[in-house]
């Protein structure tokens, strides 16, 4: 089933459930035999699911510039022949940001991709910005670079719909030289802890002279190491730690590419002064405060929001329905779902 067909099927199922689901007598996505329970949407690759215009933008895209590339930047990168051409000779839209979000279960070398324009210097930065259209609870981040991996990358996030951004994670060939930060695997590096989760670490980039990926688990070291159900412990940590919850929440994020890496043996060739990536992934859940199981409708996140249960409503299930205001609204917790209540008759 194609992603579009799957999304349409979900929309039909969600619509039927939404009309009849919020009844105390029935068993909905956020109820079991004993009553209401906390529930959260399934995780999804947010970038692939958001199809709204201008949700992913960049300040540089290759158009009619002359550039060079290895024919195989992944497996046979050292001996791969070099080809030179203009971006427009392939297709005017061949290297747009749309190439970062299409679903591609195929080898990296065969994927569509975004490519920046050829830059005046290798130090010129280029930014990719993703507008998520609503609050999300994030869990992991990845970019698959097609040509070479930049010398340094900053991932930043916003919680106020792009008005301000703060660093989320750094990547660099030389963390200390690029950012003045020791790499996270250095014994003396400052690391996040459950007590201090809002620390942006620097991850060392290896093999930057070829195509490859950068990845970071945004919950790394921030969830206490406890015995038992890890997922439950993570939920409890997020519920009880406002700093951790704030760290994982975002409405926008951006990727700042800092410094072109030349392919092996081609240092100084200005025709390689560009960035290129085939996939940008941010995995997370719609922020529904524990009052919705089904995730946002793919392609129409702003219109649909969360499919709310527990007699809540709003984009993020952040208020009680009219007639269910007997107790104040609260986020749902594992130990208490805090379902909105109607006044006794």
């Amino acid at each position: 089933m194609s992603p579009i067909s799957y999304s349409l099927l979900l929309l039909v199922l969600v619509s039927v459930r939404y009309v009849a689901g919020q009844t105390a007598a029935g068993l909905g996505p956020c109820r079991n035999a004993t009553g209401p329970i906390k529930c959260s949407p399934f995780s999804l690759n947010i970038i692939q699911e958001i199809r709204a215009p201008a949700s992913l933008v960049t300040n540089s895209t290759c158009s009619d510039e002359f550039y060079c590339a290895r024919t195989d930047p992944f497996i046979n990168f050292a001996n791969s022949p070099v080809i030179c051409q203009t971006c427009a000779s392939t297709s005017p839209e061949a290297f747009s940001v749309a190439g970062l979000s299409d679903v591609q279960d195929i080898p990296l070398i065969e994927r569509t991709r975004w490519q920046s324009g050829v830059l005046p210097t290798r130090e010129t930065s280029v930014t990719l910005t993703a507008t998520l259209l609503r609050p999300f609870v994030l869990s992991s981040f990845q970019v698959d670079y097609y040509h070479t991996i930049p010398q340094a990358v900053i991932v930043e996030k916003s919680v106020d719909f792009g008005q301000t951004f703060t660093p989320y994670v750094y990547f660099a060939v030389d963390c200390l030289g690029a950012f003045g930060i020791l790499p996270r695997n250095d014994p003396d590096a400052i690391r996040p802890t459950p007590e201090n989760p809002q620390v942006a670490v620097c991850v060392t980039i290896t093999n930057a002279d070829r195509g490859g990926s950068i990845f970071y688990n945004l919950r790394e070291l921030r969830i206490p190491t406890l015995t038992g159900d890890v997922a439950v412990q993570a939920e409890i940590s997020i519920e009880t730690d406002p700093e951790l919850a704030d760290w994982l929440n975002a409405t926008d994020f951006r990727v700042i590419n800092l410094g072109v890496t030349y392919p092996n043996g081609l240092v100084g060739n200005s025709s390689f002064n560009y960035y290129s990536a085939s996939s940008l992934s941010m995995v997370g859940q719609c922020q529904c405060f524990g009052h919705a199981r089904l995730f946002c409708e793919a392609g129409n996140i702003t219109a649909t929001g969360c499919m709310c249960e527990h007699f809540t409503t709003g984009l993020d299930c952040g208020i009680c329905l009219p007639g269910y205001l007997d107790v104040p609204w609260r986020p749902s917790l594992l130990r208490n779902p805090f379902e909105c209540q109607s006044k006794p008759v």
Side-chain angles (χ1 to χ4, degrees):
M1 182 181 295
S2 71
I4 294 177
S5 300
Y6 180 68
S7 298
L8 291 174
L9 176 60
L10 275 178
L11 177 58
V12 173
L13 293 174
V14 166
S15 300
V16 172
R17 197 274 306 149
Y18 188 74
V19 172
Q22 291 212 34
T23 60
L27 294 182
C30 298
R31 307 185 74 83
N32 61 20
T34 63
I37 58 173
K38 177 183 177 177
C39 57
S40 299
F42 301 109
S43 293
L44 68 158
N45 184 341
I46 303 165
I47 302 303
Q48 289 182 354
E49 292 294 335
I50 295 176
R51 304 295 182 189
S55 59
L56 183 60
V57 298
T58 181
N59 61 343
S60 179
T61 300
C62 193
S63 54
D64 58 354
E65 296 103 318
F66 183 83
Y67 77 98
C68 296
R70 288 199 182 278
T71 55
D72 182 357
F74 300 102
I75 305 301
N76 190 33
F77 64 93
N79 301 311
S80 177
V82 173
I83 59 170
C84 298
Q85 58 188 346
T86 64
C87 292
S89 66
T90 306
S91 165
E93 301 299 322
F95 300 118
S96 74
V97 289
L100 292 169
S101 60
D102 48 354
V103 181
Q104 304 176 82
D105 294 324
I106 56 178
L108 284 171
I109 196 170
E110 299 175 19
R111 294 183 182 181
T112 59
R113 65 187 188 271
W114 159 78
Q115 187 168 303
S116 76
V118 176
L119 306 169
T121 69
R122 66 177 301 188
E123 291 80 18
T124 303
S125 65
V126 171
T127 301
L128 295 160
T129 303
T131 300
L132 306 184
L133 307 177
R134 51 153 297 118
F136 275 83
V137 181
L138 306 180
S139 56
S140 65
F141 163 85
Q142 180 168 322
V143 181
D144 296 325
Y145 283 99
Y146 186 86
H147 171 54
T148 59
I149 305 175
Q151 287 290 293
V153 178
I154 307 174
V155 181
E156 298 181 326
K157 73 153 189 171
S158 173
V159 294
D160 53 14
F161 294 94
Q163 295 185 51
T164 60
F165 283 86
T166 56
Y168 220 8
V169 59
Y170 301 94
F171 298 88
V173 173
D174 177 6
C175 287
L176 192 59
F179 304 117
I181 302 172
L182 290 172
R184 64 172 176 170
N185 58 348
D186 189 288
D188 297 322
I190 298 175
R191 296 181 178 83
T193 64
E195 295 74 30
N196 184 23
Q198 298 198 18
V199 174
V201 302
C202 186
V203 180
T204 300
I205 295 173
T206 58
N207 299 321
D209 62 345
R210 67 202 73 171
S213 302
I214 60 173
F215 170 84
Y216 187 61
N217 176 359
L218 297 166
R219 303 187 180 194
E220 181 183 78
L221 302 178
R222 295 172 174 89
I223 306 297
T225 303
L226 301 171
T227 58
D229 191 316
V230 175
V232 171
Q233 298 298 342
E235 285 288 325
I236 293 173
S237 297
I238 296 169
E239 286 179 357
T240 57
D241 187 342
E243 286 197 40
L244 177 59
D246 179 68
W247 169 262
L248 296 175
N249 286 337
T251 59
D252 310 73
F253 74 92
R254 64 188 181 190
V255 181
I256 306 173
N257 300 286
L258 297 165
V260 171
T261 300
Y262 292 121
N264 185 36
L266 297 168
V267 175
N269 188 329
S270 61
S271 298
F272 290 90
N273 279 354
Y274 61 87
Y275 306 103
S276 182
S278 61
S279 178
L280 173 62
S281 302
M282 181 64 85
V283 176
Q285 306 165 313
C286 292
Q287 172 59 279
C288 303
F289 293 106
H291 292 300
R293 170 65 68 192
L294 295 175
F295 52 75
C296 309
E297 173 202 344
N300 199 16
I301 289 174
T302 51
T304 304
C306 301
M307 306 308 293
C308 300
E309 298 283 342
H310 298 158
F311 305 104
T312 61
T313 188
L315 182 68
D316 54 7
C317 307
I319 58 175
C320 293
L321 283 168
Y324 290 86
L325 305 171
D326 193 44
V327 295
W329 176 93
R330 290 186 60 179
S332 185
L333 306 177
L334 288 175
R335 67 177 185 275
N336 190 334
F338 289 112
E339 184 176 56
C340 294
Q341 302 290 326
S342 61
K343 291 186 177 180
V345 179

